Amino acid sequence: MSSRPPRRSVMLSALLLLRAVTAFSGDGRAIWSRNPTVSPVNESQLFLYDTFPPNFFWGVGTGALQVEGGWKKDGKGPSIWDHFIQTHLKSVDSTNGSSDSYVFLEKDLSALDFLGVSFYQFSISWPRLFPDGTGAVANAQGLRYYNALLDALVLRDIEPVVTLYHWDLPLALQEKYGGWKNETMIDLFNDYATYCFQMFGDRVKYWITIHNPYLVAWHGYMTGLHAPGEKGDTAAVYTVGHNLIKAHSKVWHNYNAHFRPRQKGWLSITLGSHWIEPNRRENAMDTLDCQRSMASVLGWFAGPIHGDGDYPEVLRKDLRSTLPVFSEAEKKDVRGTADFFAFSFGPNNFKPPNTMAKKGQNVSLNLRGVLNWIKLEYGNPRILIAENGWFTDSHVKTEDTTAMYMMKNFLNQVLQAIRFDGVQVFGYTAWSLLDGFEWQDAYAIRRGLFYVDFNSTQKERKPKSSAHYYKQIIQENGFTFKESTADVQGQFPCDFSWGITEAVLKPEVAASSPQFTDPHLYVWNATGNRLLHRVEGVRLKTRPAQCTDFVSIKKLLEMLARTKVTHFRFALDWASVLPTGNLSAVNRQALRYYRCVVSEGLKLGVSPMVTLYHPTDAHLGLPAPLLRAGGWLNPATARAFQDYAGLCFQELGDLVRLWITINEPNRLSDIYNRTGNDTYRAAHHLLLAHARVWHLYDRQYRPAQRGALSLSLHADWAEPASPYSDSHRRAAERFLQFEVAWFAEPLFKTGDYPPAMRAYLASKGRGPAGSVLPRFSEADSRLVKGAADFCALNHFTTRLVMHVPQGGRHHADRDVRFLQDITRLSSPSRLAVVPAGQRSLLRWVRDNYGDVDVYITANGVDDQALHDDQLRKYYLEKYLQEALKAYLIDKVKIKGYYAFKLTEEKSKPRFGFFTADFKAKSSIQFYNQVISSRGFPESSSPPCDETQTDSECPLCTLLTQKPLIFFGCCCFSTLALLLSMIIFHRRKRRKFWKVKNLQHIPLKKGNKRVLN
């Protein structure tokens, strides 16, 4: 940027004029009055794939005290922080040199080359140049170091952004004058700045006077967390702040008058802040408290400099007795003394939480919000984000994945502020280039993009995941959309199963409409007691019980009719059908209820997919005797399940073509989690139970019933949390092996558990007590292999996984930990909405298990909206798009899609298309439209041939319609009777006419005519 100094000078003059007439202090309060009910899927709220403006200023920063080291080297004088470490942070080793940038300058420059930044923001150590804070002659070695650094940056075409004061005040000035409490510091600071302008200004076009003066004053003189460590003197706090503002102002005027005309540079002060959100946006007092919170931190310094030259009005009222007063001349001098708004937004502004000015409201990391506040409060200034980033624990080395996602979030918020809100951000500083000394946290946390082993001698700079990520952002100048395939137009096949899923249907013990089956007559309120009284001696005609006597079935049919689905998936309650766990006591009423559900659904044209067993985290779903006998840890449960399944096939199989034996057996680890071995043993019994039921159906029922059977697996997709980490990539594949292949591999491929799963458990080397997968006998392997007619997947989200060694239980055996990407659209229950993950999962299944038929048997998201559930509609559209891409482009044999779920449950995440009181949500209409269109067709797509739309057996369907059968029999009998009567009368009439015709034939003489 230094190549255009004339233009910069003209722009600066225009900017100063603009700032003088457009500062409207107090307008920032409007930020909290904006519409709080903006849809989460509104374009302005979603992650923005776009680029930053051309020539956006990409940089990285450090502080001298944090990274230079050499605190006594080459004549450097002590600073207040050197003293503070020795007196307040005695456990910190101040001799280890931190990252030793003073010694390893070339390594810092190599790190900058790696990133490809536009600028490097660093600070000059005041005591390294002037050991006692003053003097006509600077420390030659310190001067040599900064000259070498600046020359190297210019050579690399990296713009220097130089901070004059980043908290390391010469100790001599603190001891002699009391530091920033003394007004003498204003002139001393100006003298120091003048020297820097003289020596370095020919190569520096961007100057920062003071870094985050709020922390200098507040933590240095109120909380005592920062040097010089003074506490509790409120008057001193605001005196220090007052002097810092005046010192900055004096330096700005000095530069403006004596150096800007020749050097053509820009100068500002970096102001830091938190951000705050009101408890209730509609409450005026809450929003006022938010404004007071921002005014007491950011406004404290921004008001005088970027505003009207004075402190915010709320601050003047609250601190009337302690806040210093600007004279009119001082206001004039202070106002407008910044050529751009340099802003710091990092962890130091949020720590410790108990020292923050929250005013009873909610602290937030919404960088976009605070940038908009600055725009409204100070007339839309040009903004340089002079510090931004997060931290990791000290044990984290190069895989700083959490910090990488925090950077992603902050950067996208900046981009949204630029593109959607018109905020004039022209540059961004990632903090920090290197791991270093982190103030009151010392070496307990790390903030660098490059890892440094402080105990090593060479202090090598190793790029972290965040460094790789930031490098990519700089190269692409933003966020490019990585999805290779845009939305497609096309349709699913005519025999596609469009379904909706419900969990376990609890059977009604008796019909809820007894008025048609009770023969007695009743009179209500005959004696005024509002009760029914039976009238004795009167008997009424009744009719046989009907399925629609069950109120729950009526409601169910009404909802299914509104969804317009072709299939309905629900689960039977094993414990209700067989309370004892065996065939000695069969609940026929429960079976009749389920048969009614199926038959009444078929009358609507809705075919069933029936799940035999549906355990949940809260309820294992086993009959009580089986549960007491050990549940799935007992092999006898598998045999009991086979008997139960046979009963269901016998009673319902003539109506059911799609069966699921067990829903999500791979998630029973949440229950059998005492040890990993318990989990694997229970899963082994579940798999064998399923295989035996499949063979039972295949042998005895499939020839007549012509159905298909499988089990459904919970199948979240997994991606490496850091794409730059090999260990994360391996962890993602390992998660899929332990989550999906655990059951899919035996069924669809080998008849045994995945080799990768066995090998990893063996490699953990835990000895006799370690987790071990059970072994299949040859007979069991043959039994399991191929025992599934299709692959059923319950898919909801995509997980970001990282490798973290753990131990003890099944989940720990995987050695993975999940990470939440806060930039991704998520549901209230924190389900990340990542549609592309579904397509990746479907491809993975095809690649590993061939062209197997696939049903997506549950797919949905929770949405808090009771009617206009926009998140669910967005989710449906995007996930169905990915399923269509998998079908059309990847040639995955998707046979059906079942949205999850029909109704929501009270006090649980709202997954339902209908509320708990059966009210439809707007997503129903969207799903209807997709079903009727069979996807996302082009306008000219031909409709399905009616003869192809029914994949069921037409004769079988007809035979299930009892009224039609009765009517047909009546018609056939009547027709047969009529035909018989016609035939009889025709024959009789024929005989009559034959006899009559014989009377006209002449007879020989002597013969008599005989008539019958």
Side-chain angles (χ1 to χ4, degrees):
M1 295 188 72
S2 58
S3 60
R4 300 189 299 273
R7 183 182 177 187
R8 180 181 291 110
S9 178
V10 173
M11 290 178 65
L12 174 61
S13 301
L15 177 66
L16 295 178
L17 178 62
L18 184 67
R19 293 289 295 114
V21 298
T22 60
F24 301 101
S25 180
D27 289 352
R29 186 174 172 181
I31 191 69
W32 296 292
S33 302
R34 293 180 176 176
N35 183 12
T37 59
V38 176
S39 167
V41 297
N42 183 281
E43 182 184 4
S44 66
Q45 305 302 309
L46 294 173
F47 187 86
L48 178 59
Y49 290 98
D50 201 348
T51 57
F52 286 82
N55 300 317
F56 191 78
F57 215 23
W58 294 105
V60 68
T62 58
L65 182 92
Q66 297 179 278
V67 300
E68 280 186 4
W71 71 288
K72 288 184 176 179
K73 194 175 182 68
D74 291 341
K76 176 187 175 293
S79 72
I80 56 173
W81 269 96
D82 295 323
H83 180 70
F84 185 77
I85 291 171
Q86 295 173 1
T87 56
H88 291 73
L89 303 175
K90 296 181 181 179
S91 61
V92 175
D93 180 8
S94 61
T95 64
N96 63 7
S98 185
S99 301
D100 267 350
S101 288
Y102 183 74
V103 176
F104 298 112
L105 173 59
E106 286 300 323
K107 295 181 179 181
D108 287 358
L109 296 171
S110 296
L112 294 172
D113 291 338
F114 175 87
L115 294 174
V117 292
S118 311
F119 71 89
Y120 177 41
Q121 179 181 335
F122 65 93
S123 72
I124 294 174
S125 171
W126 190 347
R128 191 175 295 282
L129 273 185
F130 297 100
D132 62 357
T134 60
V137 180
N139 175 18
Q141 294 299 320
L143 183 61
R144 179 198 58 78
Y145 169 73
Y146 292 116
N147 274 321
L149 173 56
L150 288 169
D151 289 343
L153 294 176
V154 172
L155 185 65
R156 287 167 166 78
D157 198 26
I158 297 174
E159 193 82 60
V161 177
V162 178
T163 300
L164 295 171
Y165 180 68
H166 197 141
W167 310 351
D168 49 351
L169 186 71
L171 180 62
L173 300 183
Q174 181 71 33
E175 293 176 340
K176 183 174 182 180
Y177 300 106
W180 288 106
K181 291 186 293 185
N182 194 320
E183 276 193 323
T184 305
M185 288 298 306
I186 298 171
D187 290 327
L188 293 174
F189 182 62
N190 186 54
D191 293 341
Y192 159 61
T194 299
Y195 181 83
C196 292
F197 296 151
Q198 291 170 341
M199 302 306 298
F200 310 130
D202 58 327
R203 288 155 292 175
V204 178
K205 304 304 176 188
Y206 288 87
W207 292 96
I208 301 294
T209 54
I210 301 165
H211 185 87
N212 209 338
Y214 170 81
L215 295 180
V216 175
W218 189 256
H219 284 329
Y221 294 86
M222 175 59 76
T223 67
L225 291 173
H226 284 192
E230 298 183 13
K231 293 183 181 180
D233 189 345
T234 305
V237 170
Y238 291 100
T239 298
V240 167
H242 199 69
N243 289 334
L244 288 168
I245 292 171
K246 291 167 70 175
H248 158 78
S249 173
K250 189 176 185 70
V251 170
W252 186 91
H253 283 289
N254 179 14
Y255 184 81
N256 192 53
H258 302 109
F259 297 96
R260 192 194 307 275
R262 179 168 46 86
Q263 296 180 357
K264 311 295 183 185
W266 302 70
L267 186 142
S268 188
I269 179 172
T270 295
L271 304 181
S273 181
H274 62 310
W275 178 239
I276 203 88
E277 299 279 0
N279 295 317
R280 299 159 296 176
R281 283 181 176 266
E282 70 280 2
N283 186 288
M285 291 305 299
D286 283 359
T287 57
L288 179 59
D289 283 341
C290 289
Q291 182 71 5
R292 290 175 61 235
S293 174
M294 294 302 297
S296 66
V297 179
L298 185 54
W300 177 9
F301 296 89
I305 296 169
H306 294 277
D308 61 2
D310 203 356
Y311 296 115
E313 183 179 358
V314 293
L315 209 60
R316 297 199 303 269
K317 289 181 178 179
D318 291 345
L319 301 168
R320 191 169 301 170
S321 60
T322 56
L323 190 66
V325 177
F326 286 113
S327 67
E328 290 301 319
E330 288 174 334
K331 291 179 187 179
K332 185 178 179 180
D333 278 345
V334 168
R335 184 172 61 244
T337 55
D339 305 329
F340 53 91
F341 199 117
F343 180 60
S344 164
F345 194 75
N348 290 324
N349 299 300
F350 293 86
K351 292 164 55 178
N354 62 333
T355 66
M356 295 176 60
K358 293 181 285 190
K359 308 293 184 184
Q361 306 306 311
N362 302 310
V363 174
S364 168
L365 293 177
N366 186 356
L367 177 54
R368 181 181 177 184
V370 70
L371 290 175
N372 271 275
W373 187 87
I374 292 170
K375 173 190 172 183
L376 294 173
E377 189 77 7
Y378 302 113
N380 198 14
R382 294 175 70 246
I383 299 174
L384 170 67
I385 299 192
E387 177 191 2
N388 183 236
W390 210 242
F391 65 92
T392 62
D393 293 333
S394 60
H395 64 83
V396 176
K397 295 185 178 179
T398 57
E399 293 182 1
D400 62 335
T401 313
T402 302
M404 181 184 73
Y405 280 102
M406 292 296 290
M407 173 187 283
K408 178 183 177 183
N409 182 48
F410 288 137
L411 278 170
N412 205 254
Q413 288 180 355
V414 174
L415 183 59
Q416 289 173 330
I418 294 171
R419 294 302 187 194
F420 293 136
D421 310 326
V423 179
Q424 298 187 77
V425 180
F426 70 90
Y428 177 89
T429 311
W431 201 275
S432 149
L433 176 67
L434 309 172
D435 289 336
F437 176 78
E438 292 299 335
W439 312 111
Q440 74 269 23
D441 293 311
Y443 299 104
I445 64 171
R446 293 177 180 269
R447 292 190 64 190
L449 299 180
F450 286 79
Y451 169 76
V452 178
D453 180 356
F454 301 131
N455 296 317
S456 65
T457 55
Q458 291 303 308
K459 308 290 177 71
E460 297 298 336
R461 280 75 165 126
K462 298 179 181 179
K464 302 181 185 180
S465 295
S466 56
H468 289 282
Y469 183 72
Y470 192 46
K471 177 181 180 179
Q472 177 183 324
I473 293 293
I474 293 172
Q475 289 175 341
E476 298 174 356
N477 198 38
F479 303 92
T480 56
F481 190 58
K482 298 298 190 300
E483 179 56 40
S484 58
T485 307
D487 287 353
V488 296
Q489 289 185 316
Q491 293 176 297
F492 290 97
C494 291
D495 61 350
F496 194 76
S497 298
W498 292 100
I500 198 164
T501 296
E502 191 61 289
V504 177
L505 289 185
K506 291 289 185 180
E508 290 186 52
V509 295
S512 305
S513 303
Q515 64 267 34
F516 301 113
T517 57
D518 188 347
H520 298 99
L521 178 67
Y522 297 88
V523 176
W524 180 72
N525 202 28
T527 60
N529 60 359
R530 305 177 70 82
L531 298 176
L532 288 171
H533 295 273
R534 183 188 297 179
V535 178
E536 299 298 338
V538 179
R539 304 279 295 183
L540 304 175
K541 289 184 178 181
T542 62
R543 61 157 174 76
Q546 297 180 0
C547 288
T548 50
D549 292 340
F550 294 101
V551 171
S552 61
I553 292 181
K554 282 184 180 179
K555 289 290 186 184
L556 181 64
L557 294 174
E558 290 172 5
M559 291 187 289
L560 288 176
R562 294 194 65 174
T563 62
K564 299 182 181 178
V565 293
T566 63
H567 286 72
F568 174 49
R569 182 190 173 202
F570 68 94
L572 310 180
D573 183 21
W574 183 0
S576 294
V577 175
L578 295 178
T580 63
N582 56 46
L583 299 178
S584 64
V586 178
N587 185 346
R588 294 289 170 184
Q589 181 65 22
L591 286 171
R592 176 177 175 268
Y593 175 84
Y594 289 130
R595 189 172 182 86
C596 282
V597 171
V598 173
S599 61
E600 293 300 311
L602 286 168
K603 292 176 185 178
L604 282 177
V606 179
S607 302
M609 175 185 276
V610 176
T611 301
L612 295 173
Y613 177 52
H614 191 293
T616 65
D617 292 346
H619 182 58
L620 194 53
L622 288 172
L626 298 180
L627 193 59
R628 288 194 295 269
W632 288 105
L633 294 177
N634 187 340
T637 302
R639 294 189 289 272
F641 182 64
Q642 185 176 351
D643 294 339
Y644 160 63
L647 174 66
C648 295
F649 297 151
Q650 181 180 331
E651 297 295 327
L652 304 174
D654 60 319
L655 307 181
V656 179
R657 299 292 173 269
L658 292 171
W659 292 94
I660 298 293
T661 55
I662 306 166
N663 185 68
E664 299 188 352
N666 53 338
R667 280 301 173 96
L668 276 180
S669 57
D670 295 336
I671 298 173
Y672 293 103
N673 61 0
R674 185 171 58 87
T675 67
N677 284 331
D678 278 357
T679 302
Y680 300 129
R681 190 151 57 96
H684 195 70
H685 294 156
L686 283 160
L687 194 52
L688 291 174
H690 160 78
R692 287 172 182 146
V693 168
W694 186 89
H695 283 281
L696 171 68
Y697 185 81
D698 191 57
R699 183 175 62 253
Q700 295 187 22
Y701 297 97
R702 194 194 303 274
Q705 297 178 1
R706 301 175 61 189
L709 182 145
S710 188
L711 51 68
S712 59
L713 298 175
H714 190 102
D716 290 338
W717 180 242
E719 294 178 352
S722 170
Y724 312 103
S725 169
D726 289 336
S727 69
H728 289 200
R729 282 193 289 271
R730 291 192 296 270
E733 179 59 30
R734 187 165 64 249
F735 171 83
L736 294 172
Q737 294 293 319
F738 276 75
E739 181 85 352
V740 182
W742 181 17
F743 282 79
E745 188 91 5
L747 290 173
F748 297 107
K749 200 168 185 179
T750 64
D752 196 3
Y753 294 117
M757 192 174 175
R758 285 197 186 278
Y760 193 77
L761 288 174
S763 72
K764 292 174 76 73
R766 295 203 187 122
S771 299
V772 178
L773 281 172
R775 293 284 177 181
F776 288 103
S777 67
E778 289 187 13
D780 286 344
S781 181
R782 289 193 299 271
L783 182 78
V784 169
K785 185 177 179 179
D789 300 317
F790 54 88
C791 179
L793 304 172
N794 297 347
H795 174 76
F796 296 92
T797 189
T798 293
R799 306 278 196 147
L800 292 175
V801 299
M802 62 179 75
H803 172 73
V804 178
Q806 300 177 42
R809 300 178 180 178
H810 160 67
H811 282 316
D813 285 339
R814 301 181 298 191
D815 286 341
V816 301
R817 181 177 294 170
F818 301 129
L819 184 141
Q820 190 82 11
D821 180 358
I822 58 177
T823 68
R824 284 178 169 173
L825 175 65
S826 296
S827 73
S829 66
R830 301 187 72 189
L831 275 180
V833 179
V834 189
Q838 179 175 255
R839 183 182 176 190
S840 297
L841 173 68
L842 293 169
R843 285 199 302 253
W844 184 86
V845 169
R846 180 205 61 194
D847 294 343
N848 283 275
Y849 306 115
D851 289 330
V852 60
D853 290 348
V854 177
Y855 286 83
I856 300 170
T857 45
N859 180 241
V861 71
D862 57 306
D863 188 330
Q864 286 294 96
L866 292 175
H867 174 65
D868 189 15
D869 49 345
Q870 296 184 43
L871 175 59
R872 181 171 293 107
K873 285 185 283 189
Y874 177 88
Y875 183 98
L876 276 173
E877 178 185 3
K878 297 304 180 183
Y879 274 78
L880 279 167
Q881 264 287 337
E882 294 304 313
L884 186 60
K885 293 175 191 176
Y887 172 72
L888 294 176
I889 300 172
D890 306 326
K891 307 304 179 184
V892 179
K893 295 172 67 176
I894 304 176
K895 294 294 184 179
Y897 174 90
Y898 290 71
F900 185 85
K901 70 190 202 51
L902 186 64
T903 57
E904 65 188 30
E905 301 173 67
K906 292 181 178 179
S907 305
K908 289 190 176 181
R910 291 174 170 159
F911 279 90
F913 283 80
F914 291 83
T915 63
D917 53 356
F918 312 113
K919 293 179 180 177
K921 302 177 183 178
S922 62
S923 54
I924 284 287
Q925 296 175 349
F926 176 78
Y927 197 31
N928 291 166
Q929 180 183 348
V930 175
I931 292 172
S932 62
S933 303
R934 292 189 294 115
F936 306 91
E938 298 178 3
S939 57
S940 59
S941 297
C944 281
D945 184 351
E946 291 297 327
T947 60
Q948 300 176 355
T949 57
D950 189 4
S951 61
E952 304 286 349
C953 165
L955 178 60
C956 300
T957 304
L958 179 63
L959 292 175
T960 63
Q961 309 297 318
K962 291 182 180 179
L964 286 176
I965 295 173
F966 176 75
F967 179 72
C969 290
C970 291
C971 291
F972 180 78
S973 301
T974 303
L975 180 61
L977 180 61
L978 287 172
L979 287 173
S980 300
M981 292 175 65
I982 291 170
I983 293 170
F984 173 76
H985 282 286
R986 289 186 67 179
R987 285 181 177 178
K988 186 174 181 180
R989 189 174 183 84
R990 191 180 301 117
K991 286 182 179 181
F992 172 78
W993 285 106
K994 186 174 182 181
V995 171
K996 193 170 182 179
N997 290 336
L998 288 174
Q999 293 178 359
H1000 300 288
I1001 300 174
L1003 297 176
K1004 294 181 179 180
K1005 290 182 178 181
N1007 292 337
K1008 294 182 179 180
R1009 193 177 296 279
V1010 180
L1011 296 176
N1012 290 330

